[in-house]
Amino acid sequence: MKDSEENMEQRILECAEKLFLDKGYNLASTTEIAKEAGCTQALVHYYFRTKENLFQKIFDRKLSLFLAPFAESDNSTLPFAELLESKVRIFFDSVAQNQKMPFMLLSEIMSSTTQRAYIRDKITEICGVMSLEFNRRVEAEVASGNIRPVTGVDIMLDIFSLVMSFFMLLPVLEDLDVVTDENREAFIKERRTHIIETLIHCIKK
């Protein structure tokens, strides 16, 4: 019985995630989520109480995945350029596997001040002390003369801007046949390399 309940709860989460990513929070209803999951609306409310709770559970999980490279403890023995490359690569690949997430993130940021405040608080919670550690590493690199004067926040903003904007433009590139089924994988890998090289070049003295 317990396994069956866990399976249904997971099924609801998976179906809700798909609908939230496809339609956004406002247009996805618990009725539609229940239909997609093959259960009653009452069962959705039994597990998650409200649509907001269900959305936040999914959103938190995705945001944690996206921010993992910045929330993890840094390897202090790794040269900074290699550390930065590793963080960008992990973040880029996470977004590549969840390409609708940037659209949902932007939609929720723009939709209301409440959602924007929630996202802000969640980012602070997830990154916490570890983002300060990354900042200290950046400060040490600047003080040693290894990189130009820059902050950890500057670097994180550059990473977010370059990666997220690429995946938001990707559908347009596909419509223009710049990206096709044949070159898609290679194009995305080349863009990842280009972003890494751009970021490393920008922080050089």
Side-chain angles (χ1 to χ4, degrees), residues 73-139:
S73 182
D74 294 336
N75 182 347
S76 59
T77 63
L78 202 64
F80 187 71
E82 292 182 26
L83 176 67
L84 183 60
E85 178 178 348
S86 174
K87 288 183 179 295
V88 176
R89 188 177 294 273
I90 294 170
F91 178 62
F92 186 99
D93 291 347
S94 293
V95 181
Q97 292 168 14
N98 299 271
Q99 292 182 22
K100 291 182 180 179
M101 184 64 178
F103 295 95
M104 186 173 81
L105 182 61
L106 180 61
S107 173
E108 297 312 312
I109 287 173
M110 300 299 292
S111 65
S112 71
T113 54
T114 302
Q115 288 288 60
R116 190 156 59 246
Y118 175 78
I119 292 168
R120 177 202 63 209
D121 293 343
K122 202 64 194 175
I123 289 174
T124 303
E125 176 191 331
I126 293 170
C127 289
V129 176
M130 295 308 177
S131 63
L132 295 176
E133 183 179 330
F134 178 66
N135 233 3
R136 284 195 293 269
R137 180 66 189 275
V138 173
E139 289 171 357

Side-chain angles (χ1 to χ4, degrees), residues 179-194:
V179 178
T180 64
D181 290 340
E182 289 74 22
N183 73 0
R184 195 174 195 277
E185 185 176 350
F187 190 94
I188 290 174
K189 285 183 178 179
E190 287 172 8
R191 179 51 44 176
R192 182 182 64 187
T193 299
H194 179 76

Side-chain angles (χ1 to χ4, degrees), residues 31-42:
T31 302
E32 192 173 11
I33 291 168
K35 182 178 179 181
E36 190 79 15
C39 67
T40 64
Q41 189 177 4

